[in-house]
């Protein structure tokens, strides 16, 4: 088997953000292997000043392009596997600090499970008992979008952070990865004797004895502060995600057929009723969001594109063009052709 391509699929929808602290660490990897990170960041449109914002979010699509360029320039077999010595304790931001200040390794992994979305808004982490040991699993969506070096840097960085917590690498029994088997050198740098490839999600099986190990950085006073900050950030993130992220998903999926409430609930891994309740808290509804996204896109198409009415209707996810005309009357009080003519005249 060969490993997956080092460039993300051009057909995949580029979406999602990552914490600025994690992005800074990944860019440090590029710099410390001898590449010109400033030039590469400039070439993909990344303002490096944004990496210093403790609450900043960096579009992953930009980082994917950056790692693809860096991989092409690098003389190394895999620059993503060269990063363990470049890690600093703050690379996970507030999530890392909540892990560092808690009492033992098991609790640290539970903190990662709870706050993972603050690191990567597409990342889902969960922990399960397995014959007395603990399996930590992670799902990131479509792996084809993620450059190989980008993901390897993440795996190696996480293991190195575990070493920061414990003083030595944790005892592990198995690693599952979503990619195909790499070459023998790359496989040997992952610290695992038992590695399974092309799995449905990433996971690491930690030994039971490691879970109870106390952390050198445990500090109950700082821990309360860190958790309060993380909880506030999580509440704010989920509140924003409930509307803005849903708008983004709907906008990206309109063409041909709009997402239904059920489709959206599946994408967000929640029940329809849970999704409805979350939107009610935000004093809105799926129908209102869908209607407003269509209205705003309709304005853009009518004023700034040369698409005809049938093409615009399809782009807005209407099955019948008559539905587009009815919606236009509700939005603008006139047909879409009249709206285009009126504003083009102005």
């Amino acid at each position: 088997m060969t490993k997956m391509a080092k460039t993300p699929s051009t057909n995949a929808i580029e979406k999602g953000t990552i914490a600025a602290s994690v992005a800074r660490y990944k860019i440090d990897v590029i710099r410390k292997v001898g590449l010109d990170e400033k030039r590469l960041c400039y070439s993909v449109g990344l303002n490096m000043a944004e990496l210093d914002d403790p609450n900043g979010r960096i579009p992953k699509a930009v980082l994917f392009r950056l790692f693809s360029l860096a991989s092409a320039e690098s003389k190394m077999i895999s620059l993503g596997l060269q990063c363990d010595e470049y890690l600093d304790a703050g690379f996970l931001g507030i999530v890392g600090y909540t892990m560092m200040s808690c009492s033992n390794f098991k609790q640290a992994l539970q903190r990662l499970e709870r706050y993972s979305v603050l690191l990567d808004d597409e990342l889902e982490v969960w922990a399960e008992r397995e014959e007395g040991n603990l399996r930590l699993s992670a799902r990131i969506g479509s792996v084809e979008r993620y450059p190989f070096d980008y993901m390897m840097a993440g795996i190696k960085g996480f293991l190195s952070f575990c070493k920061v917590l414990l003083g030595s690498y944790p005892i592990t029994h198995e690693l599952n990865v979503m990619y195909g088997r790499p070459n023998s050198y790359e496989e040997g740098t992952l610290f695992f004797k038992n590695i399974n490839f092309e799995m449905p999600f990433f996971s690491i099986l930690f030994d039971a004895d490691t879970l109870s190990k106390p952390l050198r950085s445990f500090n109950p006073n700082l821990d309360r502060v860190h958790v309060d900050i993380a909880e506030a950030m999580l509440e704010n993130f989920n509140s924003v995600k409930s509307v803005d992220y849903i708008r983004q998903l709907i906008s990206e999926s309109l063409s041909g057929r709009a997402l239904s409430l059920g489709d959206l609930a599946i994408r967000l891994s929640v029940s329809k009723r849970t999704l409805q309740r979350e939107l009610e808290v935000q004093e809105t509804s799926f129908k209102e969001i869908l209607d407003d996204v269509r209205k705003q896109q309709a304005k853009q198409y009518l004023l700034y594109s040369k698409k005809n009415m049938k093409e615009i209707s399809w782009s807005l996810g209407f099955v019948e063009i008559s539905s587009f005309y009815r919606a236009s009357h509700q939005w603008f009080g006139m047909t879409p052709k009249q709206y285009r003519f009126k504003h083009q005249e102005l």
Side-chain angles (χ1 to χ4, degrees), residues 1-4 148 177-184 186-188 190 192-199:
M1 290 184 290
T2 58
K3 70 184 180 185
M4 307 198 73
F148 178 81
V177 297
M178 298 176 71
Y179 290 95
R181 184 181 297 275
N183 62 51
S184 58
E186 292 171 327
E187 186 174 337
L190 287 171
F192 288 85
K193 294 181 179 179
N194 187 10
I195 307 178
N196 301 310
F197 298 94
E198 297 184 334
M199 303 300 289

Side-chain angles (χ1 to χ4, degrees), residues 39-46 62-63 65-67 69:
R39 176 180 57 80
L40 289 170
C41 286
Y42 179 80
S43 68
V44 298
L46 175 59
V62 173
L63 288 173
R65 293 195 293 273
L66 178 67
F67 259 75
L69 288 175

Side-chain angles (χ1 to χ4, degrees), residues 328-346:
S328 180
H329 274 286
Q330 294 174 353
W331 299 330
F332 313 126
M334 62 188 74
T335 69
K337 288 184 178 180
Q338 290 170 335
Y339 182 85
R340 169 177 276 177
F341 179 77
K342 175 181 178 180
H343 289 82
Q344 284 180 342
E345 285 291 300
L346 291 174

Side-chain angles (χ1 to χ4, degrees), residues 248-276:
Q248 176 186 336
L249 288 178
I250 291 174
S251 179
E252 292 170 346
S253 307
L254 274 183
S255 297
R257 185 185 73 86
L259 284 175
S260 67
L261 178 64
D263 295 331
L264 187 59
I266 292 172
R267 293 279 293 273
L268 296 172
S269 300
V270 298
S271 68
K272 288 173 62 174
R273 184 58 193 140
T274 297
L275 178 56
Q276 287 174 322

Side-chain angles (χ1 to χ4, degrees), residues 31-126:
R31 174 172 59 85
K32 291 181 178 180
V33 297
L35 299 177
D36 185 348
E37 87 285 5
K38 293 181 179 179
R39 176 180 57 80
L40 289 170
C41 286
Y42 179 80
S43 68
V44 298
L46 175 59
N47 180 1
M48 295 187 68
E50 297 176 4
L51 303 175
D52 297 324
D53 182 356
N55 298 315
R57 309 290 300 183
I58 307 299
K60 284 195 291 184
V62 173
L63 288 173
F64 293 166
R65 293 195 293 273
L66 178 67
F67 259 75
S68 295
L69 288 175
S71 296
E73 290 190 14
S74 174
K75 303 300 183 182
M76 297 180 176
I77 296 176
S78 175
L79 67 89
L81 294 173
Q82 316 299 321
C83 60
D84 48 314
E85 62 186 280
Y86 308 140
L87 178 124
D88 65 71
F91 100 103
L92 294 180
I94 187 60
V95 180
Y97 292 128
T98 66
M99 296 172 69
M100 293 175 67
S101 60
C102 65
S103 59
N104 58 50
F105 188 61
K106 178 183 176 182
Q107 188 179 21
L109 296 180
Q110 291 171 336
R111 295 280 174 84
L112 176 62
E113 179 181 11
R114 176 161 181 78
Y115 300 123
S116 61
V117 72
L118 297 178
L119 302 174
D120 182 326
D121 54 21
E122 293 180 289
L123 178 63
E124 178 187 2
V125 175
W126 68 98

